[in-house]
Amino acid sequence: MFVKIMRHQTKTFFTFKNVKISTRNISNRPDFTKNRYKITRGNYNYLHEEHIHYFQNLLGESRIVMDLSDLEKYNVDWFNQVRGCSSIVLKPKTTEEVSNILRFCDLNKLAVCPQGGNTSVLGGSVPVFDEVIISTELMNEIVDLDEHSGVITCQAGCILENIDNYLETKGLIVPLDLGAKGTCHIGGNVSTNAGGMRLIQFGNMHGNILGIEAVKANGDVVDCLSTLKKDNTGYHLKHLFIGSEGTLGFVTKVALQCPARPKFRNVAFLGLQNFVKVLKTFKLLRQRLAEILSAVEVIDTPTMEFIKNVNSQNSPIGEYPFYLMIETSGSNERHDEEKLSGFFEEAIHKGLVLNGIVANEPAKIQKIWSVRENIANGFKARGSKMLQYDISLPFKDYYNIMEPIREYTKDVSETVFGFGHMGDGNLHLQIILKSDVTEKIRSKINDFVFEKILELKGSISAEHGIGLLKAKYMDKIKPQSSIKLMKSVKKLMDPNGILNPYKVLL
Ligand SMILES: Cc1cc2nc3c(=O)[nH]c(=O)nc-3n(C[C@H](O)[C@H](O)[C@H](O)COP(=O)(O)OP(=O)(O)OC[C@H]3O[C@@H](n4cnc5c(N)ncnc54)[C@H](O)[C@@H]3O)c2cc1C
């Protein structure tokens, strides 16, 4: 029996059977992904009344979302690019509940979409069709902190910033920092192998996650929740879950090593004349600041114009072709300041830096950081009128990619700009389109950009993963031998393919 819900006041209509949804036109909402990308629904079951009864018995009604207007925020991504049509969100609190949900979905061939803070960039966190959304929203408990080793164990739904606030009271810091920290969940960070601003100092999730507890598609709990820094016993299975974007298992708990919180921070905002000087400055930064260098971000002129337009924020030092934002984090104020002023003297003496400011008070530091952190705010409104690329390139070609792309897209683009975690060779390249373009044109631009990246021996995804939007490029960017192995791992872990279908591997 199929369920049918009618809501008079909002004039919504819903049938699970046909996966047809008509809602009042919600402005600025993207098209349904399945229509836009012409995706064929996999051979999964539709949600029946008895399925809903099972979930209600397991979780109670208060932890299930089925109201259409409440569902919208789980069906649309943060960047307004993709839109699914799931009719149900489940909010487990425990590993056991996740296990029961997945076992039931697997037996009943119901596809699922794991969701954390829903801030992912490539459409990985929202369903394509009617997948059951399993949200970690209520899995938000800190389980343990070992203050000797600095290892924190917590549930997957803890918000990154909340973990950091807690760690601050213990003199520790979370070794990951990104613009979405107030919303993203640690389980999502692990599942995307998130990078962020401080990767240059602390490394990525593969290095910082000591243990993981995850649930396989069939409901089996995989306990790799070691909190040891050294544990060379057999295969390191935790790495399968790091960066696999919810396609191999549902992460329920993580153990994360957290360094001592640096006592002193300095943030500098520099103006530079050209990219050659940016590169030379970066080399000098690495040499002179070494272990206290905790962030190196670049911003080009068109990005600064975009920031000015959307956030009404100006460069704090006037206008220059390029800007570098650098941060030092250390434990000895005098030592750090000496290093920093040594760097400045040399950079100015060598004619690398034209102008700059430095801040060491928290409010001023935050003000400078906000220039960088608020860039993405302007993306939401652009939705599908924007193409965004998160790429890695060898330093010598880091900015060389911009010109050919500007030229190629000149008829359809309003602006093409680049900024990003330069210290890791990671560029966020954005194309703002004059108007929404057809899928054919979008595909042509993607092909061009990706070809250029591969030509320059870069990666088409530095830190955002593959999700839905890059899945069709996997065949082009990975050798067949790797794809084949990935597919057999997927088959082993999730034989019915219920975990986050249409994502990562097609
Ligand atoms: C303003 C802004 C700035 C950003 N800056 C950065 C940045 O600097 N660096 C960076 O790397 N990313 C950045 N991102 C992207 C995004 O924040 C990261 O990818 C983040 O790690 C996603 O976490 P989330 O909790 O929102 O996960 P979601 O978006 O909910 O999910 C991401 C993926 O992980 C899967 N997933 C989520 N939770 C689980 C789980 N418990 N088990 C299994 N699978 C799961 C989902 O199915 C999906 O495929 C930014 C995003 C925004 C909006």
Side-chain angles (χ1 to χ4, degrees):
M1 186 171 129
F2 299 105
V3 181
K4 193 169 172 185
I5 302 172
M6 299 284 275
R7 280 173 219 283
H8 303 295
Q9 67 282 43
T10 52
K11 290 204 182 109
T12 49
F13 159 74
F14 206 112
T15 70
F16 292 107
K17 184 181 181 183
N18 303 318
V19 200
K20 257 195 232 152
I21 290 184
S22 78
T23 61
R24 263 204 313 215
N25 201 12
I26 298 165
S27 62
N28 195 28
R29 282 299 189 228
D31 295 342
F32 285 111
T33 308
K34 63 189 170 98
N35 300 337
R36 180 172 190 111
Y37 297 99
K38 301 192 174 39
I39 301 172
T40 308
R41 189 179 182 279
N43 189 19
Y44 301 104
N45 214 339
Y46 291 98
L47 196 68
H48 286 223
E49 201 168 24
E50 55 265 38
H51 301 143
I52 297 170
H53 284 153
Y54 174 82
F55 296 136
Q56 281 169 338
N57 281 336
L58 185 70
L59 304 177
E61 296 203 6
S62 65
R63 289 198 276 136
I64 299 179
V65 179
M66 290 189 69
D67 186 275
L68 274 185
S69 54
D70 295 339
L71 282 165
E72 193 71 6
K73 76 169 182 159
Y74 301 91
N75 269 317
V76 177
D77 70 323
W78 194 92
F79 289 91
N80 265 330
Q81 302 174 106
V82 287
R83 186 172 177 201
C85 40
S86 177
S87 52
I88 192 160
V89 178
L90 306 177
K91 298 186 186 178
K93 282 186 174 171
T94 63
T95 303
E96 198 188 348
E97 285 174 353
V98 174
S99 164
N100 285 329
I101 292 168
L102 284 178
R103 184 171 296 113
F104 181 82
C105 288
D106 199 41
L107 285 171
N108 288 280
K109 262 206 125 193
L110 289 170
V112 305
C113 176
Q115 192 176 92
N118 194 11
T119 64
S120 81
V121 183
L122 294 164
S125 55
V126 295
V128 174
F129 290 91
D130 54 345
E131 295 88 283
V132 172
I133 298 172
I134 309 176
S135 165
T136 50
E137 233 167 63
L138 301 181
M139 301 183 72
N140 53 9
E141 274 184 21
I142 290 174
V143 180
D144 181 50
L145 172 69
D146 180 336
E147 292 192 44
H148 298 289
S149 62
V151 177
I152 191 165
T153 306
C154 56
Q155 282 190 299
C158 288
I159 292 175
L160 186 65
E161 192 168 48
N162 293 349
I163 302 176
D164 194 47
N165 289 341
Y166 170 72
L167 288 172
E168 189 174 8
T169 63
K170 309 287 179 186
L172 298 166
I173 188 171
V174 78
L176 172 71
D177 186 26
L178 40 135
K181 62 186 165 216
T183 312
C184 62
H185 298 182
I186 189 70
N189 301 144
V190 167
S191 304
T192 53
N193 184 27
M197 328 272 189
R198 304 227 170 87
L199 189 137
I200 192 169
Q201 190 175 40
F202 298 129
N204 69 7
M205 292 276 96
H206 283 285
N208 289 307
I209 294 291
L210 300 182
I212 283 186
E213 177 193 80
V215 183
K216 278 171 55 192
N218 67 0
D220 286 356
V221 178
V222 184
D223 182 356
C224 310
L225 198 60
S226 171
T227 54
L228 302 171
K229 293 206 177 168
K230 289 186 162 180
D231 181 10
N232 270 351
T233 47
Y235 303 143
H236 289 211
L237 295 177
K238 67 180 179 189
H239 292 296
L240 281 177
F241 301 104
I242 302 174
S244 56
E245 301 181 59
T247 61
L248 296 183
F250 193 103
V251 176
T252 44
K253 287 192 193 113
V254 304
L256 176 69
Q257 66 174 0
C258 305
R261 197 171 194 91
K263 289 200 172 68
F264 303 101
R265 282 209 291 159
N266 292 286
V267 171
F269 198 92
L270 313 175
L272 300 98
Q273 199 173 20
N274 55 44
F275 196 74
V276 173
K277 293 199 172 175
V278 170
L279 276 183
K280 286 186 176 166
T281 306
F282 176 56
K283 193 172 163 199
L284 190 65
L285 280 167
R286 280 168 48 88
Q287 286 166 345
R288 297 291 170 261
L289 302 180
E291 79 289 352
I292 60 165
L293 185 62
S294 54
V296 181
E297 299 286 315
V298 74
I299 295 175
D300 69 3
T301 294
T303 304
M304 195 54 86
E305 276 161 15
F306 181 79
I307 296 171
K308 213 188 300 176
N309 288 340
V310 298
N311 296 333
S312 307
Q313 258 176 317
N314 287 313
S315 145
I317 53 168
E319 290 180 7
Y320 295 92
F322 288 92
Y323 307 89
L324 272 180
M325 272 186 70
I326 59 171
E327 185 190 73
T328 65
S329 306
S331 57
N332 183 323
E333 191 172 16
R334 222 174 109 202
H335 164 267
D336 297 358
E337 281 180 3
E338 270 171 18
K339 277 192 158 182
L340 201 56
S341 46
F343 158 76
F344 276 128
E345 267 171 39
E346 200 169 336
I348 289 166
H349 176 72
K350 289 185 168 161
L352 298 178
V353 172
L354 296 173
N355 194 4
I357 50 162
V358 192
N360 57 12
E361 291 164 31
K364 288 187 181 155
I365 286 179
Q366 188 42 43
K367 202 169 170 202
I368 296 182
W369 262 122
S370 71
V371 176
R372 166 66 182 86
E373 286 180 338
N374 291 341
I375 297 175
N377 290 347
F379 297 167
K380 233 177 179 166
R382 301 299 185 282
S384 53
K385 290 200 201 71
M386 183 185 68
L387 291 167
Q388 47 180 330
Y389 304 92
D390 154 51
I391 66 185
S392 264
L393 286 168
F395 285 107
K396 69 179 173 49
D397 288 317
Y398 184 87
Y399 204 73
N400 285 344
I401 195 156
M402 298 299 290
E403 248 355 277
I405 291 169
R406 285 196 176 113
E407 178 59 28
Y408 187 77
T409 60
K410 65 177 188 282
D411 293 335
V412 290
S413 66
E414 197 177 287
T415 175
V416 178
F417 58 85
F419 65 95
H421 314 303
M422 197 219 149
D424 317 318
N426 180 185
L427 178 71
H428 294 323
L429 191 162
Q430 315 292 129
I431 303 177
I432 306 285
L433 300 164
K434 285 179 186 155
S435 57
D436 202 356
V437 292
T438 61
E439 232 2 82
K440 207 169 154 199
I441 297 180
R442 192 175 282 265
S443 256
K444 273 180 83 175
I445 299 175
N446 282 342
D447 286 348
F448 181 82
V449 175
F450 293 154
E451 252 168 50
K452 280 274 158 241
I453 296 167
L454 296 181
E455 229 174 85
L456 297 172
K457 306 224 175 316
S459 165
I460 72 161
S461 181
E463 59 177 11
H464 293 160
I466 294 295
L468 170 85
L469 299 176
K470 284 184 183 163
K472 70 174 180 173
Y473 296 96
M474 281 291 269
D475 269 346
K476 287 188 189 160
I477 57 164
K478 288 277 179 201
Q480 273 313 306
S481 53
S482 300
I483 302 264
K484 215 172 140 194
L485 186 56
M486 285 189 213
K487 284 189 173 164
S488 39
V489 173
K490 169 76 178 169
K491 192 81 194 156
L492 182 76
M493 308 275 291
D494 177 20
N496 292 323
I498 62 156
L499 283 170
N500 224 3
Y502 324 104
K503 320 282 171 59
V504 187
L505 286 175
L506 294 179

